[in-house]
Amino acid sequence: MKHRAVKGRLLRLAGFFLPLAVLLVFLLFPFYWTFVTSVKPAAELYQARVTYWPAGFTWDSYRNLFGEFRFLKPMLSSLTVALSTTIVTLVVAVLAAYAFSRFEFKGKRIFMVLFLTNNMFPTVLLLIPLFTIMRRMGLLYTPSSLILAYTTFTIPFSIWLLSGYLNDLPSSLEEAAMVDGANRRQAFVKVILPVLVPGLVATGVYIFMQAWNEYTFAVMFTNERNRTIPVALKNLIGQLGVQWDLLTAGGIITIIPVCVMFFFAQKRLVEGLTAGAVKG
Amino acid sequence: MATVELKGISKVYDGGVKAVNDANIIIQDREFVVLVGPSGCGKTTTLRMIAGLEDITEGELTIDGKLVNDVPPKDRDIAMVFQNYALYPHMTVYDNMAFGLKIRKFPKAEIDNRVREAAKILDIGMLLERKPKALSGGQRQRVAVGRAIVRQPKVFLFDEPLSNLDAKLRVQMRAEISALHNRLQATMIYVTHDQVEAMTMGDKIVVMKDGFIQQIGDPLGLYNFPINRFVAGFIGSPPMNFMDVQIAEEGGTLFAVEKNFRVAVTGRNIPLVKPYIGKNIIFGIRPEDLTFSDREAPGKSMKITVEVVEPLGAEIHLYMNTGAHQLVARVPTDHVYKVGDVASFIPNMDKAIFFDAETEKALLP
């Protein structure tokens, strides 16, 4: 009997935990490698022999990143663009999604399909027309151009996401509020919005990451004054060589805000959407 | 407290589907009116039109004599209990109940008084700080009712409020809502598909089918004098038995003749079925009006085969077959019935109801 139990445990180990461990290593190794590279002294970094565990340890690259390279500036640009995109998108999308989810009107289905096809376009296709538009509007090389460009993609997709969440909320929720004495605006603000928070957080995190990581538009629509993180980092890859230490340090710094955001958002993300609203 | 009047109310949806047809109902002050019917009969649509959640296509709706067709729900001074309770999940029980008063800018002390009073009536005082997700189905139901009570509205609307509860709780809440009606002396309109709920709770019952009101009456009136075959079959459990028979006259007596039996028509029914001699007619008899007989009685009894025996304790439900029709009888427990038994049953012909085979309308005096 004991023998069989041991065998069962071994099987479980081989069949379940081993593949999981392999996958985990596969996923996490790039992060580890980035971090390790960023803290290696320059001499070790550019030597011929590869060290998986750094022999020396230094924060020099980070010091240079924020000192000489002035990484704070692109970080602020990225933050401005990403936050603005998130706020603009959420405001527009939640109102639109509410209309799509609760009202019947002509062209409703066509609009929804259009929103979806919008996401199927390769972004590069829209680069040139948007570039011309931005130039004509005098927005080129300002953060507004990026915010506007990003929202053209994030709004339609967010409307899809949010109307999905809204469709799951029974309309009797706001009907109850309206019978209770609220008008539609009050019912929306006091009942629907608070219940929608997990959906808003999920959508917001998605939008923020899109804007935070985007490169193609950023490289075209910004200049030295307001370039964003991905563009700034790309500048470290020169024709004559790559500044690995700065590049990896920048990479680590870039993922920190996103990680922190997920840390706080994840509780909201997994929270039951309508728990207790209706029979469940 | 208020009178609600529906005059020629119709509802046509965008696709052209007519959900409610020319509904005329007068709901008196302090009356408990139940709208009942199978699903899709338009009862919920009617209720939602009274609430203002659904536009009225045609007709006039008045509350206390005031036309309210175009008055938004918040200004109709009504409260509604929804089938899925629709509690606000992000608010505590207290805030759920206080919501309507807060939005109407009641003073804090008044809100507190009303919420605690309602909580006491419904026995949910200890739940006030909880969120809806921490409540059982029955408790959520009470909170939903409480949210209506604190408002002290002119009219209470209930949309199948008990259908999500288990059977035992349903019976209990049924009695509680009836008691609440007596206590609050309020006008209540209650929608259900369950005829038992309708019969036990309503002062007045409105039976609906396919968007048309079939009959309006008090529970016993509907039971004893159903206007057509639908109402007769819908009200009462187990339902009334219907048999296709022919009326024949022999020696001055009228008989209802089925393939396998013939019974004499008696009492009030004689003049009513006379015009149907030689014609088909529907013979309706309630399960409790069939009595077991230990011997055949020509012209009075019918021979049946027992197919299913359901002993309920106080009584037995017998599902039987005449050879041409399935019947159900409700009989006392003083006789032992076995599946496959062939027995004679005597219908109480004074209580039988006949229906026109074409129109299915009841032949009533």
Side-chain angles (χ1 to χ4, degrees):
Chain A
M1 285 309 274
K2 204 178 168 193
H3 181 73
R4 189 180 292 171
V6 171
K7 201 175 156 194
R9 205 177 299 165
L10 275 177
L11 260 173
R12 231 169 93 77
L13 201 69
F16 182 69
F17 288 107
L18 208 62
L20 214 61
V22 171
L23 191 71
L24 214 59
V25 168
F26 184 74
L27 284 175
L28 290 180
F29 185 75
F31 290 94
Y32 167 76
W33 193 240
T34 309
F35 179 71
V36 162
T37 310
S38 74
V39 295
K40 276 182 191 169
E44 188 184 347
L45 195 57
Y46 291 102
Q47 74 188 359
R49 197 171 54 86
V50 175
T51 49
Y52 286 95
W53 184 252
F57 185 92
T58 171
W59 292 111
D60 277 353
S61 55
Y62 289 89
R63 214 166 290 133
N64 288 339
L65 190 72
F66 285 104
E68 203 182 320
F69 190 64
R70 302 222 267 167
F71 194 58
L72 213 55
K73 241 187 104 193
M75 273 188 86
L76 277 178
S77 289
S78 272
L79 196 69
T80 316
V81 169
L83 273 185
S84 310
T85 307
T86 309
I87 291 165
V88 171
T89 306
L90 279 185
V91 170
V92 175
V94 78
L95 293 173
Y98 184 74
F100 276 106
S101 155
R102 290 298 194 257
F103 301 114
E104 286 301 325
F105 50 87
K106 270 209 175 106
K108 177 171 156 173
R109 285 178 59 91
I110 294 173
F111 266 118
M112 284 307 257
V113 172
L114 273 180
F115 290 163
L116 204 60
T117 45
N118 178 67
N119 268 63
M120 295 170 184
F121 269 103
T123 42
V124 208
L125 265 185
L126 292 176
L127 199 55
I128 299 185
L130 274 175
F131 186 85
T132 321
I133 293 170
M134 294 303 166
R135 201 181 52 200
R136 288 261 173 89
M137 289 172 75
L139 291 176
L140 209 55
Y141 307 130
T142 66
S144 311
S145 63
L146 276 188
I147 296 165
L148 217 59
Y150 293 161
T151 46
T152 54
F153 291 99
T154 51
I155 287 176
F157 189 72
S158 302
I159 292 175
W160 263 93
L161 273 181
L162 287 173
S163 57
Y165 280 106
L166 276 165
N167 286 339
D168 283 345
L169 292 184
S171 41
S172 57
L173 265 186
E174 69 243 51
E175 286 173 355
M178 290 197 290
V179 170
D180 258 355
N183 55 31
R184 196 169 274 279
R185 186 182 56 80
Q186 286 170 316
F188 177 72
V189 173
K190 295 193 182 213
V191 175
I192 296 301
L193 268 190
V195 181
L196 200 61
V197 164
L200 288 174
V201 170
T203 315
V205 167
Y206 160 80
I207 304 164
F208 187 89
M209 282 187 7
Q210 289 276 306
W212 184 256
N213 292 330
E214 205 279 339
Y215 174 74
T216 324
F217 283 92
V219 79
M220 291 284 286
F221 291 179
T222 60
N223 59 13
E224 206 55 30
R225 273 186 297 121
N226 49 32
R227 58 187 188 180
T228 56
I229 292 175
V231 186
L233 289 180
K234 175 66 172 54
N235 284 352
L236 292 169
I237 304 172
Q239 246 173 346
L240 299 175
V242 180
Q243 289 172 274
W244 285 116
D245 48 349
L246 288 184
L247 189 63
T248 49
I252 292 294
I253 296 290
T254 311
I255 60 174
I256 286 175
V258 181
C259 285
V260 170
M261 220 162 57
F262 262 103
F263 181 78
F264 285 109
Q266 68 159 343
K267 200 187 131 223
R268 287 286 177 178
L269 287 178
V270 294
E271 209 167 67
L273 198 59
T274 58
V278 296
K279 187 186 195 268
Chain B
M1 304 301 115
T3 315
V4 179
E5 195 170 351
L6 287 77
K7 285 183 218 153
I9 296 275
S10 295
K11 173 73 190 179
V12 184
Y13 282 108
D14 285 343
V17 181
K18 211 159 188 191
V20 178
N21 267 293
D22 190 29
N24 292 287
I25 312 172
I26 298 176
I27 296 145
Q28 304 291 356
D29 187 22
R30 294 169 192 194
E31 203 168 25
F32 195 119
V33 173
V34 180
L35 307 181
V36 67
S39 55
C41 72
K43 55 191 192 295
T44 294
T45 308
T46 306
L47 192 77
R48 289 171 59 85
M49 285 194 285
I50 298 173
L53 297 170
E54 208 81 62
D55 289 332
I56 297 169
T57 315
E58 218 177 286
E60 288 182 354
L61 173 68
T62 60
I63 298 178
D64 264 350
K66 194 178 144 231
L67 185 72
V68 293
N69 278 38
D70 297 315
V71 175
K74 71 185 177 76
D75 299 325
R76 291 194 185 190
D77 200 8
I78 42 155
M80 185 158 168
V81 177
F82 290 83
Q83 180 174 10
N84 59 13
Y85 317 143
L87 299 181
Y88 313 129
H90 57 297
M91 297 183 195
T92 60
V93 167
Y94 185 97
D95 290 332
N96 259 283
M97 300 212 287
F99 182 80
L101 301 176
K102 275 185 189 162
I103 227 159
R104 284 160 205 271
K105 306 232 157 49
F106 273 67
K108 261 214 168 92
E110 169 82 11
I111 296 178
D112 197 63
N113 269 343
R114 285 204 193 181
V115 170
R116 294 196 189 278
E117 174 69 23
K120 212 164 81 190
I121 294 175
L122 294 164
D123 200 19
I124 48 174
M126 62 295 176
L127 304 174
L128 286 177
E129 295 315 314
R130 289 212 204 156
K131 292 269 180 74
K133 68 175 166 216
L135 302 179
S136 69
Q139 289 168 334
R140 286 177 199 178
Q141 177 63 63
R142 281 162 199 271
V143 176
V145 173
R147 197 166 62 179
I149 295 179
V150 294
R151 295 256 323 278
Q152 302 178 357
K154 277 187 184 162
V155 186
F156 285 86
L157 306 178
F158 295 88
D159 183 12
E160 308 219 13
L162 306 185
S163 55
N164 280 346
L165 300 178
D166 62 61
K168 201 175 160 194
L169 210 50
R170 193 151 53 210
V171 174
Q172 189 191 335
M173 283 306 288
R174 205 160 76 195
E176 283 191 31
I177 292 178
S178 289
L180 200 65
H181 175 243
N182 286 333
R183 177 174 185 155
L184 300 176
Q185 289 293 308
T187 309
M188 293 187 173
I189 307 173
Y190 187 105
V191 160
T192 179
H193 62 266
D194 181 353
Q195 59 89 23
V196 179
E197 262 175 43
M199 294 291 277
T200 50
M201 299 172 82
D203 296 326
K204 184 151 92 187
I205 299 174
V206 179
V207 184
M208 297 182 73
K209 183 199 172 199
D210 297 337
F212 288 94
I213 292 180
Q214 304 289 312
Q215 190 173 2
I216 302 179
D218 63 290
L220 290 181
L222 289 182
Y223 192 79
N224 293 323
F225 304 103
I227 201 164
N228 58 28
R229 178 179 174 163
F230 172 77
V231 176
F234 191 77
I235 300 289
S237 171
M240 183 184 265
N241 299 298
F242 299 104
M243 288 165 275
D244 299 313
V245 297
Q246 255 194 351
I247 298 298
E249 188 178 16
E250 267 174 52
T253 310
L254 294 176
F255 287 94
V257 184
E258 199 238 29
K259 213 170 90 195
N260 298 309
F261 69 84
R262 43 189 280 158
V263 287
V265 179
T266 61
R268 65 172 190 202
N269 280 319
I270 295 174
L272 295 173
V273 302
K274 207 153 203 169
Y276 288 85
I277 292 171
K279 288 186 192 156
N280 291 328
I281 197 168
I282 300 165
F283 166 34
I285 187 91
R286 294 229 176 250
E288 62 270 29
D289 295 328
L290 288 168
T291 321
F292 171 75
S293 162
D294 46 13
R295 69 178 80 92
E296 259 185 88
K300 279 187 181 161
S301 72
M302 43 214 248
K303 211 182 210 170
I304 53 83
T305 314
V306 176
E307 290 183 331
V308 176
V309 181
E310 284 184 354
L312 297 182
E315 59 188 28
I316 300 173
H317 292 176
L318 293 177
Y319 293 84
M320 333 183 280
N321 206 317
T322 66
H325 295 99
Q326 287 218 307
L327 298 183
V328 53
R330 204 161 147 177
V331 294
T333 53
D334 53 6
H335 184 91
V336 179
Y337 301 91
K338 285 197 295 290
V339 174
D341 277 359
V342 177
S344 286
F345 272 77
I346 298 177
N348 180 351
M349 291 306 284
D350 287 341
K351 291 211 165 172
I353 298 179
F354 289 89
F355 302 86
D356 186 291
E358 295 270 316
T359 63
E360 302 201 332
K361 283 209 165 74
L363 307 181
L364 294 173

